[in-house]
Amino acid sequence: MPPFKDEHVLIIAPGSQTTLAQLGLPESFTPARLRISTRMFPAEKAGEWEPLKVREKKVRKAVAGAATNGTDGEDVKMDDAPEGESYEAEEETIYEEDPSTDEGAVYPLKDGRVTNWSCFFALLTHVYNTLSPPFHTPILLIGQPAWTEQDHETLTQFFFEKFKTPAFCLMDSALAVCYAYGVPTATIVDVGYGKCDVTVVNDFLISHLGRGIAISGCGGEGMTERLLELLESKGFTRDMCEQLKKSNICEVLSPSTPLPEEGESGKGTTNSAALTSTVMNGSSATARGSIAGQGGFASAVGAGPAIIEDDLDGNVKDGENDDGVLDVASIVASGKTSEFLAKKEREKAEKVAAKKAAADAAAAPRRLPNSQRVKATLHYDERRSLDDLNGNGKRANEPEGAAEGGDSKRQRTPELVGEGDISSISRKEERRRNRGTSMFIRKDIEVGIERFRAADAGILDQIADSIHRCVLSVPEVSKRSELWDSLIVLGNGSKVRGFKDALIATLTSKYLISPSSATIFTSELPSNFSTPLATGANTPQPQSQTQGQLGHHGPGVNPLLLAATTASNPTLAPPGAHQHLHSQLQMQQYHQQQHSSHGQSPTSIKVAKMPEYFSEWKDVGTEEAAFLGAQVAAKVVFIVDQGLSKGFMSRSEYNDLGPQGIHEFGL
């Protein structure tokens, strides 16, 4: 088999709502170049699918012919038609694609599971045809944790039979995340659209025991449903709640953070504007008094009011004597009266501007963080079709005279009033997108503390419990602490502001224990110490002197304590104590190797960090890190390894083993 090239590798990562794909591996791995919705529309012929909604549209076409004498037909006048000829209108049916609608769409993936194989195959075919790869193209497909072995075999058969691919690799999404982060052991929490997957990866091997697969109701859709439940009575629609969830005013607070209450925003604030005004007025009054005491410079010169400027440097200013009083005679005699007055006017204007700026800054309300504000404004973009906005070829808000050449300026749309607390909905901006069938209208909607309760229906607790069960299911107890210290939270459902921090806070409050807890020291007791019973049968008996001169320094004595007490004065140590201490330390190290951590509950919880050398991913975020890991794995499997470690299944191996052979290949 000839070697594969970087520019020929095809990567496909299907999701419940969005499918990512890319042809070729760039020198520096980038986010997916192709993003399409995971949906298809039934075609006119049964069993076939279309990527976009196709609508029928009736249009009137002018054709040459004699005008009808009856009333059924109507002549269409053509300005450029030869004189004496008439045209008549004829209806014609055309088909056009509507890229902005979801009407009649079929989503083949639900909670990660394939619910419509025909639609899913049509989606994969559409992705393949869109990228149009060459014939010698290996394919790497990111699999969902909910896919069964039968699903893997079905997909393997489809790719080999449909696209005649020379090599095919099926990679689990959790393993791809580990490749992106560069960690062999981690706990992956993938929060998707309608579900959440929790997976433990130990040395690049997925632990299927206790794996949390497709935890329903713990994705982004669950948070949207919760917001709709809270705000539906106030006139909110599903689209409003979806945009609210994606906005920066929707935030998931930690369990210990209280919700803001009415009146809290005004606590602890003083009327600094009034205080500043009082101080400024007092200083002005003092200045006016000093001017009057100086004999009235303004009336003497005749140039209007004047002010006194503080001399911060302690020097005598121009036009003043040693006592700080303006010398009017010297100013007039110097012949620079106009210049002096202009300078004073500039200084006066600067002081007035500084005073006004200080007053405005003091009067401005103190900006509180979003978590402490009771209400916030949502900028809602409503999609409206042009058919709803237009009437008889005009916009709905266009004046009647605009069509006849009159004033074509738009009028403001009347303010809309919703139900409940939605009382200030107004259109502030209209902007057209590159779609010819719809328009977006922006409205401002005020939202209360309901925006903090998107995840208060038990979503965080369910995910935290699943993480705890998944980590405890790992047979190697010594690996559990490393799993707790390598937690990775990703997925587009985790993009909600504060979600990751709230999840870590929930895990900390429920399962984290302090290293100074009594449980730690109890678990470190030697295994030969049994718990005393009420009958006294297990009560420790005095040790015999068979251990030389150790006496009370028996095997139960803490060797570290013995070493600390005898380090400064070795003569206090009994004979043979150092040899016994050495053996005790060796035994303790052996026990620590056998049980080096406390597997029941973690002593620390840390979040893994993705490497910073992927500069293209810094602005995008780590929510789609599985696609980055797929690029890294494709580079290793198809380009570097070339199939030596059975990372992919070749065409010849498929011919020999069939679809069932896919279980013997992969990462």
Side-chain angles (χ1 to χ4, degrees):
M1 180 189 304
F4 301 112
K5 298 182 179 180
D6 290 349
E7 58 268 19
H8 293 166
V9 177
L10 176 60
I11 302 175
I12 303 176
S16 298
Q17 292 292 306
T18 305
T19 296
L20 310 178
Q22 180 172 297
L23 177 62
L25 298 176
E27 183 177 354
S28 179
F29 298 140
T30 60
R33 297 176 181 174
L34 178 63
R35 301 174 60 93
I36 62 174
S37 298
T38 310
R39 66 184 184 187
M40 297 295 287
F41 296 86
E44 186 177 2
K45 186 178 179 180
E48 295 184 357
W49 303 87
E50 297 286 347
L52 297 175
K53 178 69 175 179
V54 178
R55 298 184 182 274
E56 293 185 3
K57 186 176 181 180
K58 302 289 186 180
V59 296
R60 304 186 68 182
K61 183 178 180 182
V63 296
T68 57
N69 296 327
T71 58
D72 296 334
E74 181 181 355
D75 290 345
V76 179
K77 185 177 180 180
M78 304 293 291
D79 295 335
D80 56 349
E83 187 176 355
E85 290 190 15
S86 62
Y87 288 79
E88 62 181 6
E90 182 179 282
E91 285 193 352
E92 181 182 358
T93 302
I94 63 173
Y95 298 91
E96 61 179 12
E97 295 179 341
D98 187 359
S100 62
T101 184
D102 252 351
E103 180 184 354
V106 176
Y107 289 82
L109 292 179
K110 184 177 181 181
D111 293 344
R113 298 180 175 88
V114 182
T115 58
N116 192 322
W117 281 102
S118 176
C119 181
F120 188 49
F121 289 155
L123 174 69
L124 296 176
T125 304
H126 171 60
V127 173
Y128 188 89
N129 295 336
T130 301
L131 296 175
S132 186
F135 180 76
H136 192 65
T137 298
I139 299 176
L140 188 146
L141 180 67
I142 299 297
Q144 294 289 331
W147 291 355
T148 62
E149 294 184 355
Q150 182 63 36
D151 296 339
H152 294 174
E153 297 174 6
T154 303
L155 289 168
T156 302
Q157 182 179 3
F158 172 77
F159 276 96
F160 276 109
E161 299 294 341
K162 178 70 175 179
F163 305 128
K164 310 299 180 182
T165 178
F168 176 71
C169 176
L170 186 59
M171 186 179 188
D172 194 282
S173 60
L175 188 59
V177 174
C178 290
Y179 273 79
Y181 278 77
V183 292
T185 302
T187 303
I188 314 298
V189 183
D190 189 356
V191 185
Y193 175 71
K195 48 85 179 179
C196 175
D197 297 315
V198 180
T199 307
V200 164
V201 180
N202 185 9
D203 292 334
F204 291 111
L205 295 177
I206 295 176
S207 177
H208 295 279
L209 183 63
R211 186 179 189 183
I213 299 177
I215 307 173
S216 181
C218 294
E221 179 67 9
M223 288 182 271
T224 304
E225 292 287 346
R226 178 57 179 167
L227 291 175
L228 182 61
E229 179 183 351
L230 296 172
L231 297 171
E232 188 175 12
S233 60
K234 297 183 178 181
F236 274 68
T237 62
R238 184 182 188 82
D239 186 56
M240 288 182 180
C241 295
E242 182 69 20
Q243 292 192 28
L244 173 62
K245 181 190 69 176
K246 296 178 180 180
S247 66
N248 57 353
I249 66 172
C250 180
E251 185 175 356
V252 179
L253 302 180
S254 302
S256 59
T257 304
L259 294 177
E261 299 179 357
E262 293 286 350
E264 283 190 355
S265 58
K267 293 182 179 179
T269 59
T270 58
N271 193 353
S272 55
L275 180 61
T276 306
S277 177
T278 303
V279 174
M280 299 298 289
N281 292 337
S283 61
S284 301
T286 305
R288 286 194 297 269
S290 61
I291 294 175
Q294 294 169 6
F297 166 75
S299 59
V301 180
I307 58 174
I308 295 299
E309 184 180 47
D310 296 333
D311 187 8
L312 300 179
D313 298 332
N315 300 324
V316 178
K317 299 182 181 180
D318 295 338
E320 295 181 358
N321 56 17
D322 295 341
D323 297 331
V325 180
L326 291 175
D327 190 353
V328 179
S330 61
I331 295 175
V332 175
S334 62
K336 299 181 180 180
T337 306
S338 59
E339 298 177 1
F340 181 80
L341 293 178
K343 178 182 177 182
K344 287 297 181 179
E345 289 296 330
R346 287 196 303 269
E347 293 174 353
K348 177 182 177 181
E350 291 175 359
K351 283 196 172 185
V352 171
K355 175 183 176 181
K356 183 179 180 181
D360 293 342
R366 183 167 58 94
R367 185 175 181 84
L368 296 174
N370 179 62
S371 59
Q372 298 181 12
R373 285 184 288 172
V374 178
K375 295 183 179 180
T377 302
L378 168 67
H379 303 294
Y380 171 61
D381 292 334
E382 181 184 6
R383 182 189 292 272
R384 300 284 297 275
S385 64
L386 295 181
D387 295 337
D388 297 339
L389 296 176
N390 295 0
N392 297 326
K394 299 178 296 183
R395 298 186 183 275
N397 59 342
E398 189 175 1
E400 292 293 335
E404 288 76 15
D407 187 9
S408 60
K409 294 183 179 180
R410 298 183 184 178
Q411 296 179 350
R412 290 182 57 87
T413 303
E415 293 186 354
L416 304 178
V417 179
E419 300 177 3
D421 294 339
I422 309 177
S423 58
S424 60
I425 306 178
S426 61
R427 194 185 77 182
K428 299 179 64 176
E429 180 184 357
E430 286 187 5
R431 54 190 174 96
R432 292 199 63 156
R433 300 284 174 90
N434 294 327
R435 314 231 185 249
T437 60
S438 62
M439 174 182 292
F440 281 86
I441 300 178
R442 171 161 291 188
K443 301 178 181 179
D444 292 343
I445 305 175
E446 196 174 60
V447 189
I449 61 174
E450 294 86 359
R451 68 186 191 277
F452 301 123
R453 302 176 57 186
D456 67 349
I459 294 178
L460 297 176
D461 292 333
Q462 292 185 53
I463 298 177
D465 294 343
S466 180
I467 295 173
H468 187 249
R469 289 194 305 268
C470 197
V471 174
L472 289 184
S473 64
V474 177
E476 299 181 34
V477 180
S478 59
K479 287 286 186 179
R480 296 178 183 175
S481 60
E482 185 177 356
L483 292 172
W484 283 111
D485 291 339
S486 300
L487 188 65
I488 301 176
V489 183
L490 74 159
N492 289 325
S494 64
K495 283 186 175 180
V496 181
R497 182 179 180 182
F499 181 85
K500 297 179 181 179
D501 296 336
L503 179 59
I504 300 300
T506 303
L507 288 170
T508 302
S509 61
K510 295 186 67 174
Y511 303 112
L512 187 68
I513 59 175
S514 173
S516 61
S517 301
T519 311
I520 301 297
F521 298 103
T522 303
S523 62
E524 293 294 343
L525 291 176
S527 59
N528 57 356
F529 275 13
S530 59
T531 304
L533 300 179
T535 58
N538 293 341
T539 302
Q541 300 297 327
Q543 299 288 335
S544 61
Q545 299 295 328
T546 57
Q547 301 179 7
Q549 301 296 326
L550 288 179
H552 61 279
H553 299 286
V557 176
N558 190 337
L560 299 179
L561 179 61
L562 178 62
T565 54
T566 59
S568 59
N569 193 356
T571 58
L572 297 178
H578 294 287
Q579 293 80 359
H580 182 68
L581 175 62
H582 181 68
S583 62
Q584 284 287 90
L585 290 175
Q586 288 183 341
M587 184 63 67
Q588 187 176 22
Q589 291 176 359
Y590 171 77
H591 285 296
Q592 289 179 353
Q593 292 175 359
Q594 297 296 321
H595 182 67
S596 60
S597 62
H598 309 278
Q600 298 298 325
S601 297
T603 57
S604 65
I605 299 177
K606 299 178 182 179
V607 178
K609 187 178 180 181
M610 194 170 71
E612 297 182 354
Y613 44 77
F614 297 112
S615 58
E616 290 80 1
W617 290 82
K618 291 183 179 180
D619 299 333
V620 178
T622 61
E623 285 77 15
E624 297 177 352
F627 195 84
L628 171 61
Q631 297 179 71
V632 177
K635 181 75 172 181
V636 174
V637 172
F638 293 126
I639 309 301
V640 179
D641 187 70
Q642 291 289 336
L644 295 179
S645 60
K646 291 188 175 183
F648 62 85
M649 188 178 189
S650 64
R651 179 73 186 183
S652 59
E653 291 166 340
Y654 173 78
N655 295 335
D656 296 338
L657 303 176
Q660 295 80 8
I662 190 63
H663 306 302
E664 301 179 8
F665 300 89
L667 301 174

